[in-house]
Amino acid sequence: MQDISDIIDGCRQWKRSSQEALYRQFFGYAMAICLRYANNKSEAIEILNDGFLKIFYHIHSYDPSRPFKSWLSKIMANTAIDHLRSKKKISFSEDITKAYDLGVSDEKALDKLSYDEILQLVQHLPPAYKTVFNLYVMEGFQHQEIAEMLGISEGTSKSNLFKAKRILKEKIAALSTINNQNNDNNDTGRIGATMQS
């Protein structure tokens, strides 16, 4: 595997082999970011390819004293936001002055969910909620930064995060109930079988 600084230098010189190496090395990482914002895989690939084009065109502005992954992550997130805006899939709800952290009442319910199940729940959030949730929770941006990126107020960012968490909490509780019912049915069958032996 090539050293990242060599790959970046090659990309700055528009070397096709370096661009391909960068794409291959960071495909999975970048795709995971794009999938968090997109509604499906083909939309995520479109965002991913647009993001890599931006990276190749703006690689000269990358500061090598900072982590490359962080720079790439920010470009991919911004590309996803631009994509959502261009498709008119994103509109933000009203501003509120306080947003409260909504924890899951059954912490074990969250532990029982796989990463894919959690990602699927996030995928089903309305676009504005999903975008703010991803930027805040997954990417680690603060509300002030999110507000600047999206052209909204800090309060709107907090409101959308609050609503996203509320929806996720309800969906996690519903999944937990379904899983518990399934487990109870399986346990009942085993108990009855044990008693008949």
Side-chain angles (χ1 to χ4, degrees):
M1 187 184 285
Q2 261 184 299
D3 179 49
I4 186 65
S5 58
D6 293 338
I7 294 172
I8 291 169
D9 287 340
C11 288
R12 286 183 170 147
Q13 297 169 30
W14 288 94
K15 289 185 179 175
R16 195 90 169 117
S17 61
S18 296
Q19 291 174 333
E20 185 179 340
L22 187 78
Y23 188 89
R24 287 181 185 271
Q25 188 166 339
F26 289 97
F27 176 87
Y29 178 74
M31 185 62 153
I33 294 167
C34 296
L35 280 169
R36 291 195 295 256
Y37 294 92
N39 291 321
N40 54 53
K41 193 172 181 177
S42 64
E43 187 177 36
I45 290 170
E46 184 179 340
I47 294 167
L48 176 97
N49 288 331
D50 289 348
F52 271 107
L53 278 175
K54 286 181 182 181
I55 287 168
F56 297 143
Y57 279 106
H58 300 287
I59 195 96
H60 62 278
S61 68
Y62 165 66
D63 177 3
S65 68
R66 304 180 72 86
F68 182 76
K69 266 187 162 181
S70 299
W71 186 74
L72 179 136
S73 168
K74 191 167 188 170
I75 288 177
M76 289 297 167
N78 284 328
T79 302
I81 292 164
D82 292 345
H83 177 81
L84 292 171
R85 278 192 186 130
S86 74
K87 303 288 184 193
K88 306 251 189 275
K89 290 184 178 180
I90 192 167
S91 64
F92 296 93
S93 66
E94 73 282 352
D95 188 346
I96 61 171
T97 55
K98 290 184 180 178
Y100 300 96
D101 185 27
L102 277 181
V104 178
S105 56
D106 181 5
E107 291 298 328
K108 290 180 183 177
L110 193 56
D111 292 340
K112 292 177 186 174
L113 295 177
S114 71
Y115 174 79
D116 289 336
E117 288 171 319
I118 294 169
L119 183 61
Q120 191 173 26
L121 291 176
V122 172
Q123 290 294 94
H124 288 94
L125 289 171
Y129 300 169
K130 177 171 54 175
T131 302
V132 172
F133 181 85
N134 282 325
L135 289 170
Y136 188 84
V137 175
M138 307 295 223
E139 312 297 338
F141 289 105
Q142 297 301 310
H143 287 294
Q144 181 180 358
E145 296 170 301
I146 295 169
E148 289 170 13
M149 290 169 77
L150 301 176
I152 59 175
S153 71
E154 252 183 89
T156 301
S157 176
K158 290 177 183 179
S159 171
N160 281 301
L161 179 64
F162 170 78
K163 290 174 182 177
K165 286 182 174 182
R166 184 182 66 214
I167 291 168
L168 288 173
K169 179 181 177 184
E170 290 166 1
K171 289 180 184 254
I172 290 168
L175 267 178
S176 178
T177 302
I178 291 168
N179 288 341
N180 287 339
Q181 288 172 350
N182 288 341
N183 289 341
D184 288 345
N185 290 341
N186 290 340
D187 290 343
T188 304
R190 275 187 244 134
I191 291 170
T194 307
M195 293 174 82
Q196 292 175 353
S197 311

